[in-house]
Amino acid sequence: MKASTQAGAVTFVLEPPVAISRGSSWTYSCRCVPDHGTVVITGCIDVKGHGEPNDVVLKVRLKLASGEDFKGEVEGLNRSETAGTYFYPLKFMQAGQFTRELKVDGPIDTVEVELVLWKTGTAAQYSLSRFGVEPASLRDESAFRWATQHLFHSPPPAPAKALVIGSLRSDSQAATLAELFPPAGRLWKKSSRIDRLEQFPSAPSDSSDYALITVVPDLDNWDWPLLQSGLLNDLLATNGRLLVAAPLTGTGKNEAWEKRFIDRFHSHRPGFNDLLHGLALTPFRLLAAAPMSGSVDKGPRYMWLALGRNEAFPAARRAMPELTDIILAGDWVRAAETIEQADRSSTEFLAASAWLRPLISNLAANSLRLEQAGDREASAMLRLAMHRLEPDDEKYAYEAIAHLRVAEKFELARKIVTECLQSMPDSLAVRLQDALLCAAEGEPDRGIEMLWQEAQGLPAITPSLRRTIAVVLRGYAQECQRAGIPTSHPQPLLLPEVANAYNSDPERFAARWHATPFAQKLEEDAQSRRAARKAAASAIPADRPLRMLVLTSDNWQFLVNLLDRVDTHDTGFEVRTFDFAFLEQHWSKEHLHELFAPVSMGLTQEKVWNRAIADDTTLGELVDWCDVVLCEWAGTHAIWMSRFLPEDKRLVVRLHSFEAFSQWPFFIDFGGIDGMIFVADHIRRFTDLQYRLGGHDLATTVLPNFIPLENFARPKGPQASRTLAMVGYANLNKHPLMAAEILAALRKDDPQWKLRLYGHPWSPETLNETERAYYDRFWAFVREAKLETAIEVMPYTTDVATALQDVGFIVSCSWREGTHEAVLEGMATGCVPVLRRWPMVKQYGAPESGYPGIPCFDTVEEAVAIVKASAEPETFAKASEKAAAYAMAQFDIEAVFPKFQDFMRQVVSR
């Protein structure tokens, strides 16, 4: 496609291929005369794929009128001996938009644009959904004249006719048409309504009689030409042309037409590239475009679109009229279903494909829109249609499989995999999708085996293989922890029914993970890293404080008191902090493979570390400064630090109950850790069993959270000996229903008993199905047992000591806990503990290992007996005093912090 342009209107619309890859390029040439030595290239590129920003190069070559290359300096472009004049679109694009203004000295005959993959060695492939170069603005009359000249270089031969629908913007525009068509050939009624063709004085008698149709809609009908494109196509002669006045830029005042434009194209503001995107849904192709200059404040700016018939459309409409009408109506989901059900080897489908294939970019854009709106099934069907239109394109094949898999349309995805493995057996991308599909269909072991075979058969691990390994391994870890219980919960061991099944034979379920070749590879990585770190370890100077970098990811809840202690006391520590969440948010999903695939399979630790500290130099500076890193929570940040922290730095990870019951520790490189702090002994036992810590040279200790309790003890109020409390209650794990059952049993003998519930309240509208069912059960029991006045729902508070002055018994009915701070804080205020043997962890010694000597219960009856044993005034006073003393001796920061100091010194001296 070539377009001869006039001064000030550089216009060329590029129809990109669906993909570019190494060794291929895409070029387009446009003749132009720069306006005062300026050529403005603007547009939008949607590039999807893998690689670095500078993998894609837009090269621009300028030729003089003599045909020689322009070799002068060109403002706005870079230059290299190899690439010539070029710039990198991705380097400066924001949301796909880019602009380059080229200053040239003298007339230019040709602007040649070439898009290529440039960076040496890249394996990336990029899809371009659209690429447009927006023309410069012209004055209103000039723009119309310029557009018509691109439609007809000379007047059409008689008896050609023109049809004007709507009102032209000026008499000068009518004069321009008069130069091309005689008065008898023009139908024009300024007051005519755009949606009423029958109002014209001479009704069209021949549906293909018009050489030119000019449509000038008012703002309320701006999309009429798009919606009626089939009708307009029928009215045109074989070589007929269409001239449309389309609004380009709105006022930003949220006018009705502008809002409809934005809703239709899902854009932020009406723009040129949105119109191009819409035109692809019509039987027309863009020949030229001329925006009119003007002030946005005075109203919308228009653009004249000069359109020609897409010759492939009539054949497509004759072959498959129903499908083409569905597409013209914009019903892409129905279109995708029709394409899938069609006989794609038929002559009808082949004829329609000539028009359908260029619409793949619209399929992609609409698929993305539907996916963002949460309609994964519809999105998957559009991706399937793209594959059906280009069945030999590897990219569309694996994208279709991936979207169908995510939408859980497994049967259709399996059909595509089977077909593609026959037609493109050498496609690694399709084979990887096959492994992912196996995992999703409930055959994760088969998926693991397929990936391992791929890894053994390749000379080097590719990035796509690493990413696939990471996805499958993460899902497989979840599968192992489900213990055969169907659930989509991302942390299945947090569910009581799953934990019960898992705890029936934890060694067997854990062994399933450790038996995989990838888990064995992770173990080999750990042993290798341990040896390298021992060789790199250096002595810590004894004549200065120990330099400790305290690191977490967004959650500092249990570190505040530790940091305050170091800040206000002479502890022998010098501390700095870093929040890893800043890096994780920046990395997004691009670096997940660094967490879940073995490092030795395709990565170099030093290279990853250097890339990370280039992203955030603060992290590198802090690590250089410190002797030891204390990582709070054993989450993804702990995985990353265990793998990539420089070998000469010590690392201590503090693990809570939440992470112990997640998949994260499966992926921690224990060879990169020197010490682990557990919040409770039963958590250490469970972690040791499931993640096999015994095979690693680790220092371990058990330390509860750092809590100053010295000011918690308060005199109890007169109602305390008849009042129970839960601090934190609004979820299934806390099991407040059991506390209500205990209350109901106590009130049978003494109606003075009450239960107070402290903490963040339930928010029923945000609860998932399981939590909502529990919420309903709880309140149904309260009503049935007539406890409405006996249960007081109290507001959330940080002043636990004051809140519990009128409470005598602190209740823990949880299914799973680590230390349960609410209990130890309640004891510090003088509350008597009523402590359940948390069922999900009791076989590992909980809670007695953390609360030795404290009576515990399994049943409501046992809990009632514990309460009654201390409920009378004399026994309550003694039990209350004993509970406060116990908490101070076991859990106060004065008792815990010296143990922490000793452990950290032990770790750095190993």
Side-chain angles (χ1 to χ4, degrees):
M1 184 202 321
K2 290 188 177 181
S4 175
T5 68
Q6 292 186 352
V10 178
T11 303
F12 47 103
V13 178
L14 311 179
E15 298 179 354
V18 294
I20 58 171
S21 58
R22 200 54 156 131
S24 67
S25 64
W26 162 58
T27 62
Y28 178 76
S29 296
C30 174
R31 299 176 61 84
C32 70
V33 178
D35 182 18
H36 303 296
T38 300
V39 177
V40 180
I41 300 178
T42 65
C44 176
I45 306 178
D46 291 337
V47 182
K48 299 178 179 65
H50 304 294
E52 299 299 324
N54 289 352
D55 285 356
V56 177
V57 176
L58 186 62
K59 295 198 289 187
V60 179
R61 284 176 292 276
L62 308 178
K63 292 184 181 295
L64 301 173
S66 63
E68 298 178 1
D69 288 339
F70 180 78
K71 297 181 179 179
E73 292 298 320
V74 183
E75 183 179 336
L77 296 181
N78 297 319
R79 186 169 184 81
S80 84
E81 293 299 322
T82 310
T85 306
Y86 67 92
F87 62 87
Y88 293 130
L90 294 185
K91 194 172 184 179
F92 56 82
M93 281 196 305
Q94 297 295 323
Q97 303 294 330
F98 71 92
T99 300
R100 265 297 187 261
E101 182 175 289
L102 315 181
K103 294 284 189 181
V104 295
D105 183 14
I108 301 297
D109 180 77
T110 303
V111 178
E112 185 176 284
V113 178
E114 182 177 6
L115 188 65
V116 296
L117 274 181
W118 173 247
K119 188 175 180 183
T120 305
T122 180
Q125 187 176 64
Y126 292 81
S127 296
L128 286 83
S129 63
R130 63 186 188 268
F131 182 99
V133 179
E134 188 169 334
S137 295
L138 298 175
R139 291 186 301 276
D140 194 342
E141 292 77 6
S142 299
F144 185 80
R145 177 174 292 275
W146 185 87
T148 56
Q149 287 175 342
H150 276 75
L151 290 176
F152 305 101
H153 297 293
S154 60
K161 295 181 180 180
L163 172 65
V164 180
I165 304 175
S167 300
L168 291 176
R169 295 174 55 85
S170 68
D171 291 338
S172 67
Q173 293 173 2
T176 298
L177 286 183
E179 296 175 6
L180 296 172
F181 297 92
R186 299 196 305 276
L187 295 177
W188 178 22
K189 186 176 181 181
K190 284 189 176 182
S191 61
S192 64
R193 286 174 52 190
I194 193 168
D195 57 346
R196 296 288 298 276
L197 287 180
E198 64 269 23
Q199 285 193 0
F200 291 103
S202 298
S205 58
D206 187 343
S207 62
S208 60
D209 199 27
Y210 293 95
L212 172 67
I213 298 178
T214 302
V215 183
V216 191
D218 55 44
L219 282 178
D220 288 340
N221 291 292
W222 68 268
D223 55 350
W224 188 87
L226 297 178
L227 297 174
Q228 302 298 326
S229 58
L231 170 63
L232 295 172
N233 179 76
D234 292 341
L235 292 173
L236 283 174
T238 301
N239 296 316
R241 299 289 189 255
L242 181 65
L243 192 60
V244 177
L248 177 64
T249 305
T251 63
K253 297 179 181 178
N254 198 27
E255 296 182 3
W257 78 268
E258 185 175 350
K259 185 177 185 302
R260 284 173 52 227
F261 191 112
I262 293 171
D263 289 343
R264 179 179 181 86
F265 295 117
H266 306 278
S267 62
H268 299 294
R269 290 284 299 277
F272 174 70
N273 285 293
D274 297 314
L275 289 173
L276 294 187
H277 192 51
L279 284 174
L281 300 173
T282 72
F284 302 104
R285 56 190 175 88
L286 182 65
L287 301 177
M292 302 171 216
S293 59
S295 171
V296 173
D297 294 335
K298 294 182 180 180
R301 193 160 59 100
Y302 278 82
M303 168 179 283
W304 286 105
L305 302 176
L307 308 175
R309 292 181 66 173
N310 184 338
E311 300 306 326
F313 175 77
R317 199 171 197 184
R318 287 192 299 272
M320 300 187 72
E322 181 183 3
L323 176 59
T324 54
D325 287 344
I326 291 172
I327 291 175
L328 291 178
D331 191 345
W332 281 105
V333 176
R334 278 184 62 207
E337 293 171 347
T338 304
I339 291 171
E340 170 60 19
Q341 295 164 5
D343 179 0
R344 291 178 296 279
S345 63
S346 66
T347 55
E348 291 80 9
F349 187 84
L350 295 176
S353 294
W355 179 64
L356 291 172
R357 284 196 181 96
L359 301 183
I360 282 179
S361 64
N362 291 79
L363 283 166
N366 281 282
S367 174
L368 181 61
R369 173 178 60 82
L370 291 167
E371 185 179 4
Q372 292 171 342
D375 194 343
R376 289 182 170 178
E377 182 172 344
S379 174
M381 292 304 296
L382 267 64
R383 295 286 175 176
L384 175 62
M386 295 165 66
H387 164 62
R388 291 309 190 190
L389 292 172
E390 292 286 352
D392 297 326
D393 190 302
E394 178 188 55
K395 178 182 182 300
Y396 293 143
Y398 76 73
E399 282 189 351
I401 299 165
H403 281 76
L404 290 167
R405 170 174 51 81
V406 172
E408 297 186 352
K409 300 179 81 68
F410 298 140
E411 183 176 348
L412 197 48
R414 175 56 61 193
K415 176 183 177 183
I416 306 302
V417 167
T418 302
E419 293 172 356
C420 289
L421 289 177
Q422 293 176 350
S423 61
M424 49 184 83
D426 296 329
S427 170
L428 175 62
V430 171
R431 296 200 303 272
L432 295 182
Q433 286 297 327
D434 189 10
L436 288 166
L437 185 57
C438 286
E441 289 177 313
E443 297 184 277
D445 298 276
R446 184 180 170 209
I448 291 278
E449 181 182 355
M450 293 168 64
L451 291 177
W452 185 253
Q453 291 176 353
E454 291 291 348
Q456 304 312 301
L458 292 174
I461 304 297
T462 64
S464 59
L465 177 54
R466 269 194 64 82
R467 285 188 286 269
T468 307
I469 290 171
V471 172
V472 172
L473 285 185
R474 185 180 182 184
Y476 189 72
Q478 292 175 328
E479 175 66 23
C480 292
Q481 289 186 330
R482 289 191 185 101
I485 304 296
T487 175
S488 59
H489 196 290
Q491 308 293 359
L493 278 178
L494 298 181
L495 299 178
E497 63 271 23
V498 176
N500 288 337
Y502 191 90
N503 287 333
S504 66
D505 195 351
E507 289 87 351
R508 177 169 66 89
F509 292 117
R512 184 181 175 194
W513 164 264
H514 292 290
T516 67
F518 289 107
Q520 293 168 19
K521 189 66 176 174
L522 289 170
E523 178 65 22
E524 291 175 12
D525 285 0
Q527 297 302 331
S528 174
R529 184 152 168 77
R530 172 71 62 196
R533 294 179 74 246
K534 279 190 174 182
S538 58
I540 306 299
D543 59 350
R544 62 166 171 77
L546 181 66
R547 295 173 178 172
M548 181 168 62
L549 172 61
V550 179
L551 179 148
T552 187
S553 183
D554 201 36
N555 191 335
W556 295 84
Q557 177 182 358
F558 297 117
L559 290 174
V560 174
N561 292 323
L562 169 65
L563 297 174
D564 181 67
R565 180 76 175 189
V566 174
D567 189 48
T568 58
H569 293 70
D570 182 10
T571 61
F573 294 127
E574 186 178 354
V575 171
R576 296 180 184 176
T577 60
F578 182 80
D579 196 325
F580 205 79
F582 295 119
L583 276 176
E584 291 190 301
Q585 291 164 7
H586 170 64
W587 293 345
S588 185
K589 295 181 179 180
E590 289 300 313
H591 301 284
L592 285 181
H593 67 96
E594 295 175 0
L595 302 175
F596 303 116
V599 174
S600 60
M601 300 180 73
L603 287 185
T604 303
Q605 287 164 325
E606 183 179 3
K607 182 178 180 180
V608 174
W609 174 258
N610 289 337
R611 185 264 307 158
I613 62 175
D615 285 347
D616 193 319
T617 57
T618 302
L619 176 61
E621 293 167 1
L622 290 173
V623 169
D624 286 344
W625 165 85
C626 76
D627 302 315
V628 60
V629 177
L630 173 63
C631 190
E632 170 77 343
W633 303 98
T636 52
H637 54 296
I639 298 173
W640 196 91
M641 294 299 289
S642 73
R643 293 178 170 210
F644 303 113
L645 184 70
E647 294 171 348
D648 61 333
K649 299 297 178 180
R650 275 78 164 181
L651 177 63
V652 175
V653 174
R654 190 160 180 261
L655 185 144
H656 301 252
S657 64
F658 178 82
E659 310 98 273
F661 289 86
S662 74
Q663 298 86 49
W664 311 136
F666 278 131
F667 301 97
I668 288 177
D669 188 332
F670 291 107
I673 296 177
D674 301 280
M676 293 196 71
I677 300 174
F678 299 90
V679 296
D681 189 64
H682 64 276
I683 298 300
R684 174 164 61 178
R685 293 183 189 180
F686 178 78
T687 304
D688 189 15
L689 182 151
Q690 182 170 214
Y691 305 113
R692 298 186 178 178
L693 301 187
H696 301 279
D697 184 17
L698 285 174
T700 64
T701 191
V702 174
L703 294 174
N705 289 315
F706 307 95
I707 307 176
L709 299 173
E710 58 183 350
N711 295 320
F712 270 61
R714 307 286 173 85
K716 290 297 179 184
Q719 301 300 317
S721 63
R722 289 295 182 273
T723 305
L724 315 172
M726 292 184 75
V727 179
Y729 66 92
N731 61 67
L732 182 155
N733 180 61
K734 299 299 182 182
H735 201 15
L737 177 57
M738 191 174 204
E741 292 171 341
I742 295 170
L743 174 66
L746 288 168
R747 285 175 62 88
K748 288 180 181 179
D749 298 328
D750 186 348
Q752 295 185 60
W753 282 99
K754 292 184 178 296
L755 170 65
R756 289 186 174 184
L757 301 176
Y758 292 90
H760 295 292
W762 266 303
S763 179
E765 63 277 5
T766 64
L767 298 178
N768 62 35
E769 184 178 351
T770 302
E771 291 286 346
R772 179 61 197 238
Y774 184 87
Y775 168 87
D776 293 338
R777 279 180 57 208
F778 173 81
W779 288 112
F781 177 81
V782 169
R783 291 189 295 270
E784 181 183 346
K786 296 181 172 54
L787 298 176
E788 294 96 329
T789 60
I791 294 179
E792 301 176 63
V793 178
M794 311 298 289
Y796 172 82
T797 179
T798 57
D799 188 357
V800 175
T802 300
L804 297 184
Q805 275 190 270
D806 289 326
V807 173
F809 297 86
I810 188 72
V811 181
S812 173
C813 297
S814 302
W815 292 96
R816 166 195 55 82
E817 292 287 353
T819 56
H820 206 173
E821 276 70 23
V823 173
L824 64 89
E825 289 181 347
M827 291 176 68
T829 71
C831 289
V832 177
V834 185
L835 195 56
R836 185 188 186 192
R837 290 186 183 89
W838 306 313
M840 292 167 63
V841 288
K842 73 177 183 178
Q843 75 186 70
Y844 306 107
E848 286 91 344
S849 63
Y851 292 86
I854 301 294
C856 302
F857 70 89
D858 291 303
T859 66
V860 170
E861 293 74 21
E862 291 173 354
V864 170
I866 291 173
V867 172
K868 287 185 174 181
S870 301
E872 297 309 314
E874 292 184 4
T875 55
F876 174 74
K878 292 180 180 179
S880 176
E881 183 179 341
K882 181 179 178 181
Y886 185 103
M888 290 297 296
Q890 295 288 329
F891 305 118
D892 183 60
I893 193 170
E894 295 294 340
V896 175
F897 193 79
K899 299 175 184 177
F900 172 76
Q901 288 175 298
D902 292 343
F903 181 73
M904 295 302 291
R905 286 290 180 187
Q906 173 193 345
V907 168
V908 299
S909 64
R910 285 163 57 90

